[in-house]
Amino acid sequence: MYGFCGNTTAHCGQGCQSGPCTGPPLAPAPGPSPAPPAPIPGNLSIVGHSGVPAMHAGLMENGRVFFLDKVENYTQLNLSDGQYAYSAEYDPLANTVVPLQYKTNAFCSGGSFLPDGRVISVGGNAPLSFIDPTVGDGFQGIRYLQRSVTDASLDGQSWSEPGNQLNTARWYASVASLADGTQFVASGSLNGLDPTVAANNNPTWELLDRNGISNNISTALDILVKNQPYYMYPFLHLLPSGDLFVFVSKSGELFSPSTNLTTSALPDLPGDYRTYPNTGGSVLLPLSSSNNYTPEVVICGGGAYQDITSPTDPSCGRISPISPNPSWEMDSMPSGRGMGEATLLPDGTVLWVNGCGQGAQGFGLAADPTYTALFYNGSQPLGQRWQTGATSTIARLYHSVALLLLDGTLMIAGSNPVQMPVLTPVPNQVPSEDYVTEFRVEIYTPPYLVGENADKRPANVSLSSTALSPNQTFSISFTLASGTGTGTSGNGLKVVLYHGGFVTHSVHMNARMVYLDYSGFQAGGNDQTVSVTMPPSYEIAPPMPYVVFVVVDGVPGIGQFVKVQ
């Protein structure tokens, strides 16, 4: 159990272990607020099995999902050499899964998508040769996975590890894609040992080039240094200014990788700790030319300390970090939640799933699963943004994931809150083994695809180009069902550029969504062709693969993969 007492009273809390607190927080965070049920909550269904524990996940260009795990003494899949597989490729259309192999232990890695579309997983942990002698040390590992929209021969191919390494060891690192296609890799443990001992920590950043190769320079990042031991898996968001929004513990700043300088420090966020081991969730709200691409970040949930007894925080902060005088607008969920997964939906709302009402991240350290989903609508006035959604029957605790699929549904998988897989609950254990390793995969169908909405999808979506760049104009043709897109039953047309990111530990690395400008939409017409313009800079849409969604009256068509190059 550990906590951090920083240099402001906002850092004081139940988890403060490293020094006396001088007083209560300057601005107490709000308590829970009731939320009404969504008129149409959506629904959940169990559709398949993940094959391996789903510690990390992402949507690839072939429309399939990779799951990536650590070395285990049991998974549902075997490799050709007889060893268990620790990674898998899941086909959401057939609900089938195939094993993938890797060479180095990817336990609690970070990751992103390169400009050429490849997935990278960086960092990890030590080998466990007594379980699997074929998997080596992953602390400095860099793993690559390539899939294609058009080349099916790549499907099912294993991770490539040509020997490139990080400059320094990193366990629990975050990755942000920058405007030039380079990858900003920050934080991590050097050895997986006690983070209250500074010698075990790596509060630095290094840069990978567009091909995912390190520059071999690790540089201290002051906000990580100051917030030890709450410095791992920081929230990172690339802003249209080119700066990175960096947040750990309760502290945030704008950081310029090009100058290695803090552009501005942000006010502390009231409430408990928000990042590992008390991660809540963070999301960059959709960007739009209608407000000159002004970014807003929402951070919700968290907890007080790393123990199963820790309370969780219901409060949320929302901030416009590049405004002249940024400040946190406080809000709250219906109850406290740690380890929540915040996923942007094509209609502009945010769906929160998974997590716990008590405890923290770590093996056997969570209780009171939060089964009910929450919808957050950032366009509504303060106090009216939250609604409750469908309720699952499956506990999704430590090492769970959620991500959007091409059809606009949400895939939910994982929960492996034990050191090695447990298939049947074992009561009265310390750490707890009350919750098992979960292989079942769920699909959350959001309200926009329930009932008659499912018949209102834009169909036959076709793009004139799938290789895109700033200010480029391209066309999209699609077909509408009669009675849709009339301007009377919803909010008309939205063209969405969407990247779901590399998902792990409630951190959706690089997740972002941009509304694209368009012209030529004919209200009420069945056959449509619109002219669409890309945003003006790579800072708004950094080079990586995206999905384009055509959304009419809040209902998305099937997403189409593109690359910003």
Side-chain angles (χ1 to χ4, degrees), residues 40 446-457 481-484 489 553 555:
I40 303 174
Y448 52 61
L449 292 176
V450 173
E452 63 181 19
N453 285 342
D455 299 324
K456 298 178 180 179
R457 273 188 186 275
S482 297
T484 61
S489 62
D553 297 340
V555 181

Side-chain angles (χ1 to χ4, degrees), residues 274-348:
R274 309 291 185 165
T275 55
Y276 182 85
N278 297 106
T279 301
S282 174
V283 61
L284 175 67
L285 294 179
L287 299 169
S288 171
S289 66
S290 63
N291 66 354
N292 199 30
Y293 302 103
T294 300
E296 290 188 282
V297 176
V298 175
I299 296 175
C300 293
Y305 47 87
Q306 192 185 31
D307 190 73
I308 198 169
T309 63
S310 173
T312 55
D313 197 323
S315 70
C316 302
R318 176 170 168 172
I319 194 169
S320 179
I322 63 173
S323 63
N325 296 293
S327 62
W328 292 100
E329 178 189 68
M330 300 304 295
D331 197 353
S332 59
M333 302 180 287
S335 63
R337 187 180 293 233
M339 296 184 281
E341 299 284 345
T343 305
L344 290 160
L345 298 182
D347 66 354

Side-chain angles (χ1 to χ4, degrees), residues 492-513:
L493 171 66
K494 291 180 179 177
V495 180
V496 170
L497 187 68
Y498 186 98
H499 181 82
F502 182 102
V503 179
T504 187
H505 291 76
S506 303
V507 184
H508 292 222
M509 300 179 191
N510 290 309
R512 66 198 299 115
M513 175 171 154

Side-chain angles (χ1 to χ4, degrees), residues 371-392:
Y371 294 106
T372 299
L374 300 172
F375 290 100
Y376 177 87
N377 187 341
S379 66
Q380 293 297 310
L382 181 64
Q384 301 177 38
R385 294 172 180 162
W386 292 97
Q387 292 181 328
T388 59
T391 298
S392 178

Side-chain angles (χ1 to χ4, degrees), residues 217-416:
I217 302 171
S218 292
T219 305
L221 186 56
D222 191 52
I223 192 172
L224 302 181
V225 174
K226 289 179 178 178
N227 282 282
Q228 297 174 88
Y230 277 82
Y231 75 102
M232 291 185 280
Y233 273 153
F235 297 143
L236 303 174
H237 300 292
L238 178 66
L239 303 181
S241 63
D243 288 333
L244 280 175
F245 173 90
V246 183
F247 188 97
V248 283
S249 182
K250 307 180 184 186
S251 299
E253 70 174 21
L254 302 187
F255 178 79
S256 170
S258 63
T259 64
N260 190 37
L261 295 174
T262 298
T263 304
S264 63
L266 299 172
D268 286 332
L269 175 56
D272 285 329
Y273 302 109
R274 309 291 185 165
T275 55
Y276 182 85
N278 297 106
T279 301
S282 174
V283 61
L284 175 67
L285 294 179
L287 299 169
S288 171
S289 66
S290 63
N291 66 354
N292 199 30
Y293 302 103
T294 300
E296 290 188 282
V297 176
V298 175
I299 296 175
C300 293
Y305 47 87
Q306 192 185 31
D307 190 73
I308 198 169
T309 63
S310 173
T312 55
D313 197 323
S315 70
C316 302
R318 176 170 168 172
I319 194 169
S320 179
I322 63 173
S323 63
N325 296 293
S327 62
W328 292 100
E329 178 189 68
M330 300 304 295
D331 197 353
S332 59
M333 302 180 287
S335 63
R337 187 180 293 233
M339 296 184 281
E341 299 284 345
T343 305
L344 290 160
L345 298 182
D347 66 354
T349 60
V350 184
L351 180 55
W352 294 74
V353 297
N354 301 355
C356 68
Q358 179 180 310
Q361 290 167 300
F363 295 129
L365 295 183
D368 186 23
T370 44
Y371 294 106
T372 299
L374 300 172
F375 290 100
Y376 177 87
N377 187 341
S379 66
Q380 293 297 310
L382 181 64
Q384 301 177 38
R385 294 172 180 162
W386 292 97
Q387 292 181 328
T388 59
T391 298
S392 178
T393 59
I394 300 175
R396 303 286 187 182
L397 301 173
Y398 192 41
H399 296 151
S400 299
V401 297
L403 68 160
L404 191 74
L405 300 178
L406 289 177
D407 66 356
T409 63
L410 187 80
M411 175 180 282
I412 303 172
S415 196
N416 189 24

